Amino acid sequence: MARDSVLTRAVRIFDAFDPDHPSLSVSEIARRTGLHVATASRLVEELVRHGLLARDERRRVRVGLRMWELASRAAPTLGLREAAMPFMEDLHAVTGHHTQLGVLDGREVLFVERLSMPNAVINLTRIAGRLPLHASSSGLVLLAHAPAGLQEDVLAGELAAFTPSTVVDPRRLRALLADVRRGGVALCPGYIDERATGIAVPIRGPGGKVIAALSVVVPNDAGARAQVPALKAAARGISRAVGADVL
Amino acid sequence: MARDSVLTRAVRIFDAFDPDHPSLSVSEIARRTGLHVATASRLVEELVRHGLLARDERRRVRVGLRMWELASRAAPTLGLREAAMPFMEDLHAVTGHHTQLGVLDGREVLFVERLSMPNAVINLTRIAGRLPLHASSSGLVLLAHAPAGLQEDVLAGELAAFTPSTVVDPRRLRALLADVRRGGVALCPGYIDERATGIAVPIRGPGGKVIAALSVVVPNDAGARAQVPALKAAARGISRAVGADVL
């Protein structure tokens, strides 16, 4: 096997950080990446020199401001996010719960924006976090409008259950996707956490293509469905702002 | 001179993208980075394989979702941003103008969050954008609380004027920094653009250290100063949320 390239190893190092591990020692990095300590140490030094990683007062390593800057200045979702933000703020103010924006990446939904309040209902999503397509409301919206090949792949693959409410039967999932296309909304009570209901609607880009999902996470109770009109209205506004013909 | 490392060249490639150039052809990348086309092409291919860059339908190159994900998932400013967002949303709703959050990076302010409306007053700042410390309200707040060495460096360095209103005289700047420390606010009418006034206040972290600047950009008129109390109140809320003793 060929030796990993510098870039492959750098990606493994960045991949070792997550919201629960925002700072790591070099030995933790070595353990989490499977790199030798000497290799990890050398590469961390070089990444720190570029500002892509940074060391804090305790010499622990963090993602650097420069890395964030290079990735964010021309981020692929910047236009979508700027168009969505005013509508997301209003939706967030009205519902008082988590409001988020997700895009399809591979076989997962990647959340590119999230507004939340500290005391809102439980929410597993995070900015730059991922959830599987079949279990989350945003994922179901994106999957419902994905190419048939991806739908078949996901339905034929492993379908993990987060709770007893998660739909993991391929036949039921197929019917659910049809419902989502027909109703223009995915309503998922307890699919990810029994206490929460995810509700997602599609955001369309030019040509009517679904480019993202707008979602809220609210308590899993009878009031959840009442959020749908506000969510649909916000999604129309965002779609119009990114140039879709929403009529 | 030693040959540039792969990482150095990769950083130069990412540095070629900005909000005005979110997609580039390989030959544009070569021109903007000074790399040979063959070198740029090879490295772009490898970065695309890792998802750090992506190609659109027209084979133009963009920053990849994976790059954004790796930089954002454990971004150094994530905690600050999450703490600040609810206060920024309220401030944005009340003032109706641009609201932004900036941190000190080198001799510049780096903006880590921005809420804006399409029809608000002109604003040169962008997410992951930078402005010089001496000319922007956020920069003056950060500089006023920076180590004396950095202050002296900036005052002794080149002080570019954006408009005739930009303060570029070191003596006047020194007095201005003292005013900012005393009054707890930087009010900068027309310093960056004659039509706009930047107003910034400090956000403090644990121990009382200034860790960021919260700012609004409003029209350059007599009403600008009326925004100060709302801005100060929001900054206190954010400081408290990140664990500062604000009393």
Side-chain angles (χ1 to χ4, degrees):
Chain A
M1 202 179 82
R3 200 157 143 274
D4 283 343
S5 75
V6 170
L7 282 177
T8 302
R9 281 178 272 145
V11 167
R12 277 160 72 185
I13 288 180
F14 284 109
D15 216 9
F17 296 87
D18 61 48
D20 297 321
H21 303 86
S23 76
L24 296 168
S25 69
V26 169
S27 60
E28 285 166 341
I29 290 172
R31 196 163 57 244
R32 290 172 74 92
T33 56
L35 296 172
H36 289 293
V37 172
T39 308
S41 176
R42 220 167 29 234
L43 191 48
V44 164
E45 279 314 318
E46 190 178 352
L47 291 165
V48 167
R49 271 201 304 280
H50 285 289
L52 303 180
L53 292 175
R55 285 189 191 277
D56 64 19
E57 318 78 53
R58 293 177 301 146
R59 302 249 327 140
R60 292 178 66 81
V61 180
R62 296 178 159 265
V63 174
L65 270 179
R66 178 77 170 139
M67 174 71 180
W68 177 84
E69 180 188 15
L70 289 176
S72 304
R73 204 169 45 186
T77 54
L78 196 62
L80 171 65
R81 182 199 181 274
E82 296 249 301
M85 207 52 151
F87 298 95
M88 290 182 69
E89 285 179 65
D90 289 343
L91 191 62
H92 183 216
V94 168
T95 66
H97 286 287
H98 309 286
T99 305
Q100 54 220 0
L101 185 66
V103 299
L104 181 67
D105 190 49
R107 291 159 171 248
E108 291 169 308
V109 45
L110 176 67
F111 290 97
V112 299
E113 188 50 80
R114 183 181 96 141
L115 298 178
S116 56
M117 299 199 193
N119 53 349
V121 72
I122 183 101
N123 185 355
L124 289 183
T125 65
R126 283 168 149 161
I127 290 177
R130 292 171 176 267
L131 280 177
L133 294 176
H134 74 282
S136 60
S137 60
S138 302
L140 286 168
V141 161
L142 295 169
L143 187 58
H145 296 93
L150 178 63
Q151 291 183 17
E152 296 310 318
D153 275 5
V154 169
L155 292 174
E158 205 196 329
L159 299 165
F162 283 72
T163 71
S165 302
T166 316
V167 179
V168 294
D169 174 57
R171 209 162 342 177
R172 279 188 59 209
L173 261 179
R174 202 182 296 275
L176 191 54
L177 293 175
D179 282 349
V180 169
R181 278 189 295 270
R182 204 159 36 229
V185 61
L187 194 99
C188 303
Y191 285 21
I192 299 274
D193 184 295
E194 289 288 4
R195 290 164 289 174
T197 292
I199 316 174
V201 296
I203 291 173
R204 295 176 187 276
K209 194 167 167 258
V210 171
I211 57 169
L214 179 70
S215 58
V216 290
V217 179
V218 300
N220 184 358
D221 61 29
R225 189 172 288 276
Q227 310 290 349
V228 173
L231 198 56
K232 283 190 171 179
R236 283 175 68 93
I238 298 169
S239 298
R240 192 181 293 110
V242 295
D245 180 3
V246 293
L247 290 181
Chain B
M1 202 179 80
R3 200 157 144 273
D4 282 343
S5 75
V6 170
L7 283 176
T8 303
R9 281 178 273 146
V11 167
R12 276 161 69 185
I13 288 179
F14 284 108
D15 216 10
F17 296 88
D18 61 47
D20 297 321
H21 303 86
S23 75
L24 297 168
S25 68
V26 169
S27 60
E28 285 166 342
I29 290 172
R31 195 163 55 243
R32 290 170 74 90
T33 56
L35 295 172
H36 287 294
V37 172
T39 309
S41 176
R42 219 166 29 233
L43 191 48
V44 165
E45 280 314 318
E46 190 179 352
L47 290 165
V48 167
R49 272 201 303 280
H50 285 288
L52 302 179
L53 291 175
R55 284 190 191 276
D56 64 19
E57 317 78 55
R58 294 178 300 148
R59 302 244 335 134
R60 290 177 68 81
V61 180
R62 295 177 159 267
V63 173
L65 270 179
R66 178 77 171 140
M67 175 71 180
W68 177 84
E69 179 187 14
L70 289 176
S72 303
R73 204 168 46 187
T77 54
L78 196 62
L80 170 65
R81 182 197 181 275
E82 296 250 301
M85 206 51 152
F87 297 96
M88 290 182 69
E89 286 179 63
D90 289 342
L91 191 62
H92 182 215
V94 167
T95 65
H97 286 287
H98 308 286
T99 305
Q100 53 219 1
L101 186 64
V103 298
L104 181 68
D105 191 48
R107 291 161 172 245
E108 292 169 309
V109 46
L110 176 66
F111 291 96
V112 299
E113 188 51 80
R114 182 181 96 143
L115 297 177
S116 56
M117 299 197 191
N119 53 350
V121 73
I122 185 98
N123 184 355
L124 288 184
T125 67
R126 283 166 148 163
I127 290 177
R130 291 171 177 269
L131 281 177
L133 293 176
H134 74 281
S136 61
S137 61
S138 302
L140 286 168
V141 161
L142 295 169
L143 187 59
H145 296 93
L150 178 63
Q151 292 182 17
E152 295 310 317
D153 274 6
V154 169
L155 292 175
E158 205 196 329
L159 298 167
F162 284 71
T163 71
S165 302
T166 316
V167 179
V168 294
D169 173 57
R171 209 165 338 181
R172 278 189 58 209
L173 261 179
R174 202 183 296 275
L176 191 54
L177 293 176
D179 282 349
V180 169
R181 277 189 297 271
R182 202 159 37 230
V185 62
L187 194 100
C188 304
Y191 285 20
I192 298 276
D193 184 295
E194 290 287 5
R195 291 163 291 175
T197 293
I199 316 174
V201 297
I203 291 173
R204 295 178 186 275
K209 193 169 166 257
V210 171
I211 56 169
L214 178 70
S215 57
V216 291
V217 179
V218 300
N220 184 358
D221 60 30
R225 190 172 287 277
Q227 309 292 347
V228 173
L231 197 57
K232 283 190 171 179
R236 282 177 69 94
I238 298 169
S239 298
R240 192 180 294 108
V242 296
D245 179 3
V246 293
L247 289 180

